[in-house]
Amino acid sequence: MDQLSSTTPFEGAEDDISEQFSIIWGQIKAPLIVPWLRVAVFLCLILSVMLFIERVYMGIVITLLKIFGRKPEKRYKWEPLRDDLELGNSAYPTVLVQIPMYNEKEVYQLSIGAACGLSWPSDRIIIQVLDDSTDPIIKNLVEMECQRWAGKGINIKYEIRDNRNGYKAGALKQGLKHPYVKQCDYVAIFDADFQPEPDFLWRTIPFLVHNPELALVQARWKFVNSDECLMTRMQEMSLNYHFTVEQEVGSSTYAFFGFNGTAGVWRIAAIDEAGGWKDRTTVEDMDLAVRASLRGWKFLYLGSLMVKNELPSTFKAYRYQQHRWSCGPANLFKKMFMEIVRNKKVSSWKKVHVIYSFFFVRKIVAHIVTFVFYCVVLPATVLVPEVEVPKWGAVYIPSIITLLNAIGTPRSLHLLVFWILYENVMSLHRTKATFIGLLEAGRVNEWVVTEKLGDALKLKSATKAFKKPRLRIGERLHLLELGAGAYLFFCGCYDMSFGKNHYFIYLFAQAIAFFIAGFGYIGTFVPQS
């Protein structure tokens, strides 16, 4: 039988539609898409260079610090506090330890126990548990735990409010208003999942006692669950860079950095002079730090002092946390920009550092350029070959920035590719949150307490291998990630078929990462150390 080579009516219609689409695309591409895409590429390259210079600068500073060994004990006076036979314990300053918490069923015993285990003269320390819990059962458990420690002779106060106004900032502010706080000179703050070592105060308070210009001593975070899954390993890489480089450089150069909200000791006089805790943004810790710095106070970061804490181990909890951490700084930058410019108590160089380096590059540019350039604009150039991205902007600069970011966690260098893809996924939420903060849109003051598991982590790890992830559409399906993944997958297919940029491997890999996040499975993979 003769074989007939003929097309069906449907195939002919499809060809006509494709041809018409190509004609329309060609007509709008040259006058409209190409010019705007070239502008976008130009702006993204400028932002990339700004971020690159900032990263290289911090890399040089941290290298010099390591070479010349400028330890805190050499930059500031430090002597151990000693007993005085005449004054007795009154020779030691009185320290307030605040533990703000909200429905912390899994970790309240850990944090309260660690705070009550701090080594310090018993009559010169006050443990203050600020419980904003709305669950009456949890509230009762926390109160009984405080009573149990009080029965052991610990000076512990259980404080509650009849509302949650101001969230954490409101609780901390209210806690400082109690009459017994007037006798305190310093306040140490620990979130509910933080567990300081017994010698924490002996290693921090002497800096504040012997250096009256210091307002804050900040410790480093140590993550107890970093090996739980791939998501926690990626978080560890990002946060280790923040602590080993950003905080260290800020402390060593301008004696300024953002307070991390926990694992730090404040001079109460500095808090009062700066105007106290304010709840105008979701980053009350950074707000206080900037205001105190503008009044001339200095900060010290102790990278050698680590406090155990927990990383978010679910994608939902991490998304909420990153929204707060990205939206808050952008909103604070908008609110404080003119206040920083008009300030007359600090040098112009420090103002430039706070505005340009601390806020603009690290809190705004870093988020926007990561998503817009590498997940939107660069893939778009595949569809518009008339617009080219120079290799130094598409390959060299991001590669160097990535390597500089990875130095904080050498043990995870083999996971670097996964970290790149993961950070690009999270940059979607960080960029969205940044614009919400700058524009003061609907979710600008959204505060969702990060879920903590505490001892339940052990049970979770033991049972994880026997439980299959269940797909809950309402909880696990994330449309933004799925949309971004579909866009990148389409660009990858186009590049592989018709393009000349050869980005399709990256585009496919990034699309898969977005799809994994979109279906809520990003926290289910356990890496090999």
Side-chain angles (χ1 to χ4, degrees):
M1 181 182 289
D2 294 336
Q3 292 184 348
L4 301 177
S5 58
S6 61
T7 59
T8 66
F10 294 103
E11 291 175 338
E14 288 177 358
D15 292 340
D16 290 340
I17 294 174
S18 300
E19 186 176 347
Q20 291 177 3
F21 178 79
S22 299
I23 294 173
I24 295 173
W25 173 246
Q27 290 177 342
I28 65 172
K29 184 171 65 171
L32 185 63
I33 304 298
V34 171
W36 281 106
L37 187 57
R38 281 179 176 152
V39 171
V41 169
F42 177 73
L43 293 176
C44 287
L45 288 174
I46 291 177
L47 296 179
S48 295
V49 170
M50 293 169 63
L51 184 60
F52 172 75
I53 293 173
E54 176 70 12
R55 290 289 191 264
V56 171
Y57 158 73
M58 289 193 291
I60 293 173
V61 172
I62 202 68
T63 301
L64 293 176
L65 289 174
K66 297 295 182 183
I67 293 174
F68 294 104
R70 290 196 65 201
K71 296 182 178 180
E73 294 81 0
K74 294 182 179 180
R75 289 182 283 123
Y76 294 95
K77 182 180 180 182
W78 190 93
E79 294 179 0
L81 300 180
R82 305 184 185 279
D83 294 334
D84 190 304
L85 296 178
E86 295 183 2
L87 297 177
N89 285 346
S90 60
Y92 296 93
T94 302
V95 180
L96 176 70
V97 179
Q98 290 185 314
I99 311 174
M101 56 178 58
Y102 172 74
N103 293 337
E104 308 286 3
K105 181 180 178 181
E106 305 295 346
V107 295
Y108 73 94
Q109 288 180 308
L110 295 175
S111 58
I112 294 175
C116 292
L118 288 169
S119 174
W120 198 253
S122 59
D123 60 338
R124 308 297 287 178
I125 184 172
I126 302 173
I127 310 297
Q128 187 185 67
V129 178
L130 305 170
D131 190 12
D132 273 0
S133 298
T134 54
D135 187 322
I137 296 177
I138 298 177
K139 183 175 287 190
N140 186 52
L141 290 172
V142 175
E143 184 176 10
M144 287 194 299
E145 182 69 9
C146 293
Q147 291 173 351
R148 187 174 74 85
W149 282 102
K152 295 182 178 182
I154 301 297
N155 187 4
I156 185 169
K157 308 289 184 182
Y158 176 72
E159 305 291 358
I160 60 174
R161 301 187 293 163
D162 56 6
N163 59 68
R164 289 192 67 215
N165 292 344
Y167 302 108
K168 181 181 174 181
L172 294 172
K173 183 177 182 179
Q174 186 65 32
L176 292 178
K177 291 182 178 180
H178 294 283
Y180 56 81
V181 176
K182 293 181 180 179
Q183 61 181 302
C184 300
D185 304 291
Y186 310 106
V187 55
I189 302 171
F190 300 102
D191 281 352
D193 59 316
F194 279 71
Q195 305 167 55
E197 296 296 328
D199 65 346
F200 179 88
L201 296 178
W202 293 112
R203 296 177 65 180
T204 54
I205 296 298
F207 281 107
L208 294 165
V209 170
H210 298 306
N211 302 276
E213 73 275 19
L214 282 179
L216 166 68
V217 177
Q218 171 74 59
R220 182 178 171 179
W221 298 1
K222 180 180 180 181
F223 313 111
V224 298
N225 64 329
S226 58
D227 290 328
E228 183 186 352
C229 63
L230 185 61
M231 187 180 72
T232 53
R233 283 289 286 271
M234 301 300 98
Q235 292 178 64
E236 180 192 37
M237 293 179 70
S238 300
L239 287 172
N240 276 351
Y241 176 80
H242 168 70
F243 283 108
T244 59
V245 178
E246 290 182 344
Q247 297 293 73
E248 195 75 69
V249 170
S251 175
S252 303
T253 53
Y254 293 93
F256 166 76
F257 50 84
F259 173 44
N260 294 120
T262 178
V265 186
W266 275 91
R267 189 186 302 273
I268 294 180
I271 296 178
D272 294 337
E273 185 181 336
W277 294 101
K278 293 186 178 181
D279 59 359
R280 56 182 174 174
T281 69
T282 58
V283 283
E284 73 294 324
D285 42 14
M286 186 181 296
D287 190 343
L288 176 62
V290 174
R291 285 184 282 114
S293 179
L294 293 178
R295 283 159 179 78
W297 290 98
K298 295 182 178 181
F299 304 159
L300 173 63
Y301 171 70
L302 289 180
S304 60
L305 178 59
M306 300 187 183
V307 180
K308 292 186 292 185
N309 73 296
E310 181 182 322
L311 292 165
S313 55
T314 66
F315 188 47
K316 179 181 178 181
Y318 188 55
R319 287 173 83 228
Y320 278 125
Q321 183 198 68
Q322 291 302 296
H323 173 85
R324 191 171 74 245
W325 287 4
S326 302
C327 178
N331 189 229
L332 181 64
F333 177 58
K334 178 180 180 180
K335 292 178 183 293
M336 292 200 68
F337 178 79
M338 291 310 300
E339 182 180 343
I340 298 171
V341 172
R342 296 192 187 105
N343 183 274
K344 300 184 184 303
K345 290 189 176 181
V346 297
S347 67
S348 298
W349 280 113
K350 188 166 186 177
K351 287 192 284 187
V352 170
H353 169 72
V354 174
I355 291 174
Y356 174 78
S357 180
F358 179 76
F359 272 119
F360 186 64
V361 176
R362 299 185 203 171
K363 310 301 181 186
I364 296 176
V365 169
H367 302 325
I368 293 176
V369 75
T370 302
F371 176 70
V372 174
F373 190 22
Y374 303 117
C375 299
V376 178
V377 173
L378 189 63
T381 61
V382 170
L383 307 176
V384 186
E386 294 88 344
V387 180
E388 294 185 359
V389 178
K391 186 172 288 187
W392 60 264
V395 179
Y396 300 145
I397 281 183
S399 297
I400 295 173
I401 291 175
T402 300
L403 290 174
L404 291 174
N405 272 277
I407 61 175
T409 315
R411 78 184 187 104
S412 296
L413 283 175
H414 63 293
L415 300 174
L416 196 57
V417 172
F418 296 103
W419 180 80
I420 295 170
L421 301 176
Y422 175 79
E423 281 294 292
N424 286 348
V425 169
M426 293 311 303
S427 69
L428 166 62
H429 295 286
R430 293 171 183 149
T431 301
K432 182 182 72 171
T434 298
F435 281 114
I436 289 175
L438 291 173
L439 302 176
E440 296 193 314
R443 295 178 59 198
V444 66
N445 290 317
E446 180 184 63
W447 181 285
V448 179
V449 176
T450 305
E451 179 188 20
K452 308 171 189 75
L453 298 179
D455 286 337
L457 278 170
K458 300 175 183 177
L459 178 63
K460 180 179 179 181
S461 298
T463 60
K464 179 178 285 189
F466 303 99
K467 294 178 69 175
K468 293 182 179 180
R470 292 181 295 172
L471 179 62
R472 297 186 183 93
I473 298 298
E475 293 183 11
R476 302 189 75 110
L477 201 60
H478 307 294
L479 297 180
L480 283 177
E481 286 88 343
L482 293 175
Y487 167 70
L488 290 165
F489 186 78
F490 173 76
C491 292
C493 291
Y494 188 92
D495 190 35
M496 186 170 65
S497 302
F498 311 107
K500 61 179 182 178
N501 293 322
H502 307 299
Y503 295 146
F504 60 88
I505 296 177
Y506 158 72
L507 294 171
F508 285 142
Q510 191 63 69
I512 292 172
F514 271 105
F515 285 139
I516 291 173
F519 286 109
Y521 289 102
I522 201 166
T524 62
F525 301 98
V526 181
Q528 299 297 318
S529 298

